[in-house]
């Protein structure tokens, strides 16, 4: 072991100084990792993550930010930047939502309108989106739902089929008139002709 003239180990002081110099830097790095990011940056990152999963309304995004305790003013300012950039657009969101939910879930106008209102979309945008629903496509989707369900109802009488199928379409958001017409036509097409009394009593 090499010794200095004063009896200390050679190089030990340098190592101690090096180690001492590193501690503040390491502590600063650790503190940086613990320190919360800028609230606006946190809000932006959160919005990007939410939009990456699926399109969302401005109201949905705002509620998500507030749940994470982002200040209201910060949330509104960040969301406005997304709106200005065209990344958040309630009109486009509503239209895309309507067509996707109608195509994949078979929902009628009433259910679609309810979902959009629950997501905080303004009423005039809800109505505009619902107006894009093609009437023929809506009827065709209702027929597909009824036809699929009818295959599982062979042992039921006409009245029971009628009640259950109309109820199913009602829950899916189809109007009563459309539901009754489509169900009656599909039951008759299946070969199950009902007496007039059944139709009148339903």
């Amino acid at each position: 072991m090499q010794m200095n003239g004063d009896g200390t180990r050679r190089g030990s002081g340098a190592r101690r100084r090096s180690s001492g110099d590193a501690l503040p830097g390491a502590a600063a790095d650790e503190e940086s990792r613990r320190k919360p990011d800028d609230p606006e940056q946190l809000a932006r990152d959160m919005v990007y993550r939410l939009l990456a999963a699926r399109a969302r309304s401005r109201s949905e995004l705002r509620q998500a930010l507030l749940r994470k305790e982002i200040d209201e003013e910060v949330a509104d300012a960040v969301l406005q930047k997304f709106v200005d950039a065209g990344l958040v657009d309630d009109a486009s969101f509503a239209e895309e939502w309507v067509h996707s939910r109608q195509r994949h879930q078979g929902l009628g106008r009433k259910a679609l309108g309810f979902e959009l209102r629950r997501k905080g979309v303004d009423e005039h945008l809800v109505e505009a989106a619902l107006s894009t629903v093609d009437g023929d496509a809506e009827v065709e989707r209702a027929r597909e739902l009824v036809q699929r369900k009818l295959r599982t109802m062979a042992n039921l009488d006409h009245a029971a089929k009628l009640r259950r199928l109309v109820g199913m379409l009602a829950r899916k958001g189809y109007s009563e008139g459309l539901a009754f017409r489509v169900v009656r036509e599909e039951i008759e097409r299946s070969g199950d002709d009902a007496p007039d009394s059944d139709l009148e009593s339903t």
Side-chain angles (χ1 to χ4, degrees), residues 142-153:
R143 288 191 189 282
E144 292 173 1
L145 292 170
V146 170
Q147 290 167 1
R148 188 181 309 154
K149 190 68 174 178
L150 262 175
R151 300 188 192 110
T152 68
M153 304 172 73

Side-chain angles (χ1 to χ4, degrees), residues 20-172:
D21 290 343
L23 286 175
D29 289 343
E30 181 65 23
E31 179 64 20
S32 176
R33 284 194 291 270
R34 290 199 301 264
K35 184 179 179 181
D37 292 331
D38 175 69
E40 287 194 14
Q41 185 62 52
L42 282 173
R44 284 194 296 272
D45 291 345
M46 188 180 303
V47 172
Y48 277 122
R49 286 196 300 271
L50 291 169
L51 291 177
R54 68 166 175 81
R56 297 171 194 267
S57 69
R58 178 171 181 161
S59 179
E60 282 186 288
L61 293 169
R62 188 176 191 273
Q63 291 304 313
L65 293 177
L66 296 184
R67 283 195 297 271
K68 291 296 185 178
E69 299 183 352
I70 300 293
D71 182 78
E72 287 191 39
E73 291 186 4
V74 172
D76 290 336
V78 168
L79 287 174
Q80 187 58 51
K81 292 178 181 179
F82 277 82
V83 170
D84 293 341
L87 298 176
V88 174
D89 183 340
D90 276 4
S92 296
F93 165 77
E95 187 170 338
E96 291 173 9
W97 183 267
V98 161
H99 290 294
S100 175
R101 296 289 283 174
Q102 184 192 30
R103 181 171 61 254
H104 298 298
Q105 301 297 324
L107 299 185
R109 294 172 195 251
K110 288 184 179 180
L112 294 168
F114 174 79
E115 289 188 344
L116 289 175
R117 294 181 185 98
R118 188 175 59 186
K119 292 180 179 300
V121 178
D122 288 343
E123 185 63 28
H124 73 283
L125 297 179
V126 173
E127 294 299 328
L130 294 178
S131 71
T132 66
V133 175
D134 180 84
D136 292 338
E138 186 178 28
V139 171
E140 185 58 33
R141 194 69 182 90
R143 288 191 189 282
E144 292 173 1
L145 292 170
V146 170
Q147 290 167 1
R148 188 181 309 154
K149 190 68 174 178
L150 262 175
R151 300 188 192 110
T152 68
M153 304 172 73
N155 296 328
L156 297 179
D157 62 30
H158 183 279
K161 291 177 182 179
L162 194 64
R163 282 195 305 273
R164 294 190 186 186
L165 291 170
V166 169
M168 175 195 67
L169 291 183
R171 290 189 296 274
K172 288 282 191 179

